[in-house]
């Protein structure tokens, strides 16, 4: 049924009646469409559900266009990012076009769904700002990290699940909690993969996040584990282009203190709770989506 969402996004883009936008949109890789999948699994494949899924994917695509400009990222899903090919101005404007079209279409759904989704977009933006601010210094505070990834990533998954539940009169709270846990775990795992996967698989250089100033969960746990001399050394490497021996030092410390397993365990617990929530409702395919998330490559 994801093809129906793809077609609906195509209709929304075609409505804009602008050749440049159509051409640029066609250059974006579709991605996993995880948020659309959640909505259809929860709400079925009515036209309303397909439209909400298409709207949420338009908003998600817009947020990634802006994020790649903010992060100076030249690749997205192993391909050159739109800002790398056409420059920042074009990427920002395409993001604004997709985002505002999504909002326009949201008005045709219902006030409650519009409220759930638009609130998530505010959270996304607050989360992205917090990410930028937190990246200016080494951040040892786990609570700040958790709040930021909830806002930046989990809020839109939470809203996707909540909007889906609202469309068919299911228990919004439980589905939103599922989406929230899934989203936080998803970002934690993304942050772990930045450390464990080689640069070819990842499509970006190894330990990229830390060089960019992002103190993700494994770095916070590593900081907690190190003695004061090594704490100072870790802080001194934050936000820098790392030499080979510095990169090797960080990786050896991750191993010594079992940090990747500790971080992965935290993501796993959130996923476990999400699975239990959905199993209790007989939503086996939603449990399976959660399960697949922790079975990704390490
Ligand atoms: C990716 O994080 C970024 C997000 C999930 C959210 C970005 C949100 C905004 C830019 C604000 C919302 C704006 C609009 C127009 C809706 P990341 O950089 O950690 O992940 P990555 O590795 O995928 O780049
Ligand atoms: Mg980014």
């Amino acid at each position: 049924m994801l093809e129906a969402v793809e077609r609906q996004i195509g209709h929304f883009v075609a409505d804009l009646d602008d050749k440049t936008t159509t051409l640029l949109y066609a250059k974006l890789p579709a991605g996993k469409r995880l948020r659309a999948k959640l909505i259809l699994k929860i709400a079925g494949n009515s036209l309303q559900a397909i439209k909400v899924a298409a709207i949420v994917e338009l908003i998600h695509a817009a947020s990634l266009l802006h994020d790649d400009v903010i992060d100076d990222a030249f690749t997205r899903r192993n391909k050159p990012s739109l800002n790398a090919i056409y420059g920042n101005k074009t990427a920002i404007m395409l993001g604004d076009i997709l985002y505002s079209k999504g909002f326009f279409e949201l008005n045709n759904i219902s006030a409650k769904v519009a409220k759930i989704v638009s609130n998530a977009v505010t959270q996304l933006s607050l989360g992205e700002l917090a990410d930028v601010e937190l990246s200016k210094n080494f951040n040892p505070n786990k609570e700040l990290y958790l709040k930021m990834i909830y806002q930046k990533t989990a809020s839109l998954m939470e809203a996707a699940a909540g909007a889906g539940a609202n469309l068919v009169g299911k228990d919004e709270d439980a589905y939103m909690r599922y989406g929230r846990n899934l989203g936080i775990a998803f970002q934690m795992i993304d942050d772990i993969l930045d450390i464990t996967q080689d640069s070819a698989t990842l499509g970006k250089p190894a330990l990229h996040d830390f060089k960019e100033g992002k103190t993700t969960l494994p770095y916070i746990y590593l900081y907690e584990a190190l003695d004061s001399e090594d704490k100072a050394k870790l802080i001194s490497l934050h936000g820098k282009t790392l030499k080979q021996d510095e990169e090797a030092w960080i990786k050896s410390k991750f191993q010594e203190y079992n940090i990747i397993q500790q971080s992965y365990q935290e993501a796993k617990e959130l996923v476990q709770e999400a699975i239990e929530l959905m199993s209790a409702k007989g939503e086996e395919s939603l449990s399976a989506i959660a399960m697949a998330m922790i079975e990704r490559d390490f």
Side-chain angles (χ1 to χ4, degrees), residues 256-274:
E256 186 179 336
Y257 294 103
N258 221 18
I259 299 296
I260 298 304
Q261 288 75 2
Q262 185 188 355
S263 309
Y264 180 56
Q265 187 55 35
E266 181 129 0
K268 223 170 155 176
E269 279 163 22
L270 289 166
V271 167
Q272 199 51 48
E273 191 188 327

Side-chain angles (χ1 to χ4, degrees), residues 81-275:
S81 58
L82 204 96
N83 49 310
I85 308 173
Y86 298 100
N88 285 348
K89 295 179 187 179
T90 302
I92 289 173
M93 288 324 300
L94 182 64
D96 287 344
I97 292 164
L98 300 182
Y99 162 69
S100 52
K101 175 63 173 166
F103 261 53
F104 177 79
E105 293 299 332
L106 209 47
N107 280 308
N108 298 324
I109 309 294
S110 75
K112 184 66 200 282
V113 168
K115 202 168 166 181
I116 293 173
V117 176
S118 58
N119 173 54
V121 179
T122 308
Q123 295 303 315
L124 275 190
S125 308
L126 291 170
E128 187 79 353
L129 179 63
D131 197 12
V132 170
E133 291 300 315
L134 287 175
S135 299
K136 289 179 178 166
N137 297 296
F138 185 89
N139 167 49
N141 186 324
K142 186 178 153 189
E143 293 314 309
L144 291 178
Y145 164 81
L146 288 177
K147 182 174 181 197
M148 182 273 289
I149 65 170
Y150 159 65
Q151 291 180 309
K152 180 179 78 166
T153 306
S155 61
L156 194 58
M157 295 200 199
E158 178 185 58
N166 179 270
L167 284 177
V168 290
K170 289 183 177 174
D171 169 9
E172 268 167 44
D173 286 350
Y175 287 83
M176 287 181 93
R177 189 167 180 84
Y178 162 82
R180 180 190 169 108
N181 278 21
L182 205 63
I184 297 175
F186 179 87
Q187 188 61 49
M188 282 178 175
I189 290 173
D190 205 58
D191 292 346
I192 294 171
L193 290 174
D194 183 80
I195 294 162
T196 57
Q197 279 198 339
D198 64 73
S199 47
T201 322
L202 214 54
K204 55 188 178 186
L207 306 189
H208 185 258
D209 285 343
F210 198 58
K211 293 173 196 164
E212 288 291 299
K214 299 185 183 192
T215 316
T216 57
L217 190 61
Y219 295 94
I220 295 173
Y221 281 151
L222 181 60
Y223 181 80
E224 286 172 2
L226 292 174
D227 63 29
S228 55
E229 195 181 316
D230 282 345
K231 273 187 168 73
K233 179 166 178 178
L234 182 65
I235 292 179
S236 77
L237 299 177
H238 169 259
K240 297 212 175 97
T241 306
L242 300 173
K243 298 193 196 97
Q244 239 176 8
D245 62 317
E246 294 168 334
E247 213 168 284
W249 180 79
I250 295 181
K251 287 193 168 174
S252 75
K253 291 292 167 188
F254 276 139
Q255 264 199 327
E256 186 179 336
Y257 294 103
N258 221 18
I259 299 296
I260 298 304
Q261 288 75 2
Q262 185 188 355
S263 309
Y264 180 56
Q265 187 55 35
E266 181 129 0
K268 223 170 155 176
E269 279 163 22
L270 289 166
V271 167
Q272 199 51 48
E273 191 188 327
I275 291 173

Side-chain angles (χ1 to χ4, degrees), residues 32-76:
K32 297 178 286 296
R33 301 291 193 213
L34 177 58
R35 293 152 192 82
K37 231 184 248 176
L38 291 185
I39 293 169
L40 299 189
K41 295 265 186 227
I42 295 170
N45 45 32
S46 66
L47 184 58
Q48 284 290 80
I50 288 164
K51 282 188 174 172
V52 174
I55 290 167
V56 169
E57 289 295 339
L58 277 182
I59 292 170
H60 178 57
S63 77
L64 294 183
L65 283 165
H66 286 188
D67 178 67
D68 284 342
V69 171
I70 293 166
D71 286 349
D72 291 316
F74 296 120
T75 56
R76 169 65 59 189

